């Protein structure tokens, strides 16, 4: 049994997984990401929609279907 309930999509070696974790943590702690996360917490999450940050950085409330489906383009090319 794995120690974490979260299963990674990628099968990485322990060394590569540790490096990825460091990169992901560093990215999540950048000032821009911290500001967006704080803003989302102030606005609040609802069960009927997602908060999406537009190109300008402003949060926009969009449907879950649109936000997670790449606005009709699908996710295979991402």
């Amino acid at each position: 049994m794995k120690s974490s309930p979260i299963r990674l999509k990628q099968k990485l070696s322990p060394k590569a997984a540790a490096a990825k974790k460091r990169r992901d943590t560093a990215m999540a702690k950048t000032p821009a990401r911290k500001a967006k996360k704080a803003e989302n917490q102030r606005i609040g999450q609802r069960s009927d929609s997602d908060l999406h940050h537009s190109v300008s950085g402003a949060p926009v409330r969009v449907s879950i279907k649109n936000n997670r489906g790449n606005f009709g383009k699908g996710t295979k090319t991402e």
Side-chain angles (χ1 to χ4, degrees):
M1 183 174 181
K2 286 190 163 193
S3 61
S4 173
I6 299 172
R7 297 190 184 238
L8 299 175
K9 291 182 181 178
Q10 300 166 322
K11 293 184 180 180
L12 301 174
S13 69
K15 183 179 176 183
K20 181 178 180 350
K21 184 176 181 180
R22 282 193 301 273
R23 286 192 308 271
D24 289 349
T25 301
M27 185 63 193
K29 291 183 179 181
T30 60
R33 285 298 305 139
K34 281 184 175 181
K36 288 177 185 178
K37 284 190 267 186
E39 186 175 38
N40 282 348
Q41 287 179 345
R42 282 193 300 273
I43 294 169
Q45 180 62 290
R46 295 193 323 216
S47 62
D48 63 340
S49 61
D50 280 343
L51 290 172
H52 173 79
H53 282 86
S54 62
V55 176
S56 67
V60 179
R61 195 171 292 278
V62 297
S63 74
I64 294 169
K65 180 180 179 181
N66 278 340
N67 196 37
R68 298 182 190 181
N70 200 16
F71 297 91
K73 297 180 205 163
T75 57
K76 291 196 177 209
T77 59
E78 286 186 332

